[in-house]
Amino acid sequence: MDMGLNGKRALVCASSKGLGLGCARALAAEGVHLVMNARGADALNDAAEAIRSEFGVEVTTVACDITTEDGQSAVLKAAGDVDILVTNAGGPPPGVWSDWDRDDFIAALDANMLTPIALMKAVLPGMMDRGWGRVVNITSQSVKAPIPALGLSNAARTGLTGYVAGTARQVAQHGVTINNLLPGIHATDRAIQLDSGMAKAQGITMQEAHDQRCATIPARRYGTADEFGAACAFLCSAQAGFIVGHNLLLDGGAVSSTM
Ligand code: NAP
């Protein structure tokens, strides 16, 4: 299927590894030129070079922390008039409700709510003027079903979800869609971090933690970054222009609900 994306330009944040990289690769496979970002320059440059050589698209890299104002300015300057924005950043640390104070919440809100909002505010006017745009925010299954150990994530991402629900309906008339992708457990460094947290907390091995988490997923496996990227590319496609303000869960059936 031709997704109508050839020659478009995308900013994909936090994309040297994991789900962000999956999105960058899937868009590149459709002929989308990229601005990629992460804090670590080495992994970012390696990922960009691999994409250039595999897909023949232009890739600009900006090594910075996307959760800072300076980082956002640098990335937005490199991105210019992008057609597609994929927001992403690292997730907050796990813990229990009594661990977190105001500073922890402010950091989580900055990373997982206010950063994507700032990026959307910066690129939406241009997309609306040009009459076409796609925004995909990487959030979490925790906005549909809370993950108790990830209270910071539950809180910040639900705030972003509320903002998107209203904003998506204000920009849709201009040919711009905003949707959220909600990952369940995917086989990335983040999953290893969370397996490790569980292993330490329960005094079990990493394999036992992995097996216990797999047992909570009807598909009985972790998702892949390629599967996740493919869903992102579809939400960015010409064919997805009538999908507005949606929260698409990619979780192997882990969130048990009828609708
Ligand atoms: P990952 O494998 O750890 O990859 C994170 C990527 O983001 C890396 O490229 C990292 O590079 C970059 N990054 C992290 N913080 C950044 C920052 N402040 N500024 C710029 N780049 C940054 O994580 P992932 O599994 O892809 O997860 C992506 C998001 O989905 C996270 O918010 C995570 O909490 C959420 N999520 C993941 C899962 C899962 O099972 N994987 C499930 C639910 C939600 P640098 O470290 O070099 O910056």
Side-chain angles (χ1 to χ4, degrees):
M1 180 170 78
D2 177 1
M3 294 195 180
L5 293 176
N6 192 38
K8 295 209 181 284
R9 301 185 67 249
L11 165 57
V12 187
C13 302
S15 54
S16 65
K17 298 177 187 169
L19 305 180
L21 178 57
C23 295
R25 288 179 54 79
L27 290 169
E30 298 303 317
V32 176
H33 304 298
L34 300 173
V35 174
M36 294 174 64
N37 151 259
R39 291 164 303 181
D42 290 348
L44 179 62
N45 290 335
D46 289 350
E49 190 45 41
I51 287 177
R52 284 185 201 104
S53 70
E54 188 170 349
F55 302 110
V57 296
E58 293 163 21
V59 184
T60 303
T61 57
V62 185
C64 64
D65 184 339
I66 195 64
T67 67
T68 65
E69 282 185 25
D70 286 351
Q72 289 157 25
S73 298
V75 163
L76 288 166
K77 191 172 169 201
D81 290 336
V82 281
D83 306 294
I84 295 165
L85 166 66
V86 180
T87 74
N88 186 28
V96 294
W97 63 271
S98 51
D99 291 341
W100 305 308
D101 59 22
R102 177 180 165 77
D103 288 347
D104 299 309
F105 278 102
I106 296 297
L109 291 171
D110 264 339
N112 300 117
M113 177 182 171
L114 299 176
T115 292
I117 289 174
L119 295 169
M120 281 187 266
K121 280 187 76 180
V123 303
L124 284 172
M127 291 178 176
M128 291 160 72
D129 284 349
R130 294 188 296 279
W132 198 94
R134 298 283 186 266
V135 178
V136 175
N137 300 294
I138 299 178
T139 67
S140 172
Q141 72 175 15
S142 71
V143 302
K144 294 244 185 204
I147 301 169
L150 293 177
L152 295 171
S153 173
N154 298 337
R157 297 185 198 278
T158 304
L160 174 63
T161 305
Y163 174 86
V164 166
T167 305
R169 289 165 172 86
Q170 291 178 313
V171 303
Q173 64 189 299
H174 301 285
V176 178
T177 70
I178 313 177
N179 293 287
N180 303 320
L181 276 181
L182 283 51
I185 302 175
H186 282 70
T188 68
D189 288 358
R190 173 71 168 169
I192 294 169
Q193 184 195 356
L194 296 177
D195 285 354
S196 160
M198 183 178 189
K200 272 190 203 132
Q202 297 188 16
I204 56 178
T205 65
M206 285 287 284
Q207 186 61 49
E208 285 167 337
H210 176 274
D211 292 348
Q212 275 192 33
R213 295 218 298 152
C214 263
T216 66
I217 306 170
R220 295 288 183 267
R221 65 174 178 86
Y222 289 4
T224 70
D226 283 350
E227 290 169 317
F228 193 85
C232 176
F234 177 69
L235 284 181
C236 294
S237 70
Q239 291 86 346
F242 209 51
I243 302 177
V244 169
H246 198 71
N247 288 284
L248 179 59
L249 197 52
L250 289 108
D251 68 342
V255 173
S256 191
S257 66
T258 303
M259 284 193 280

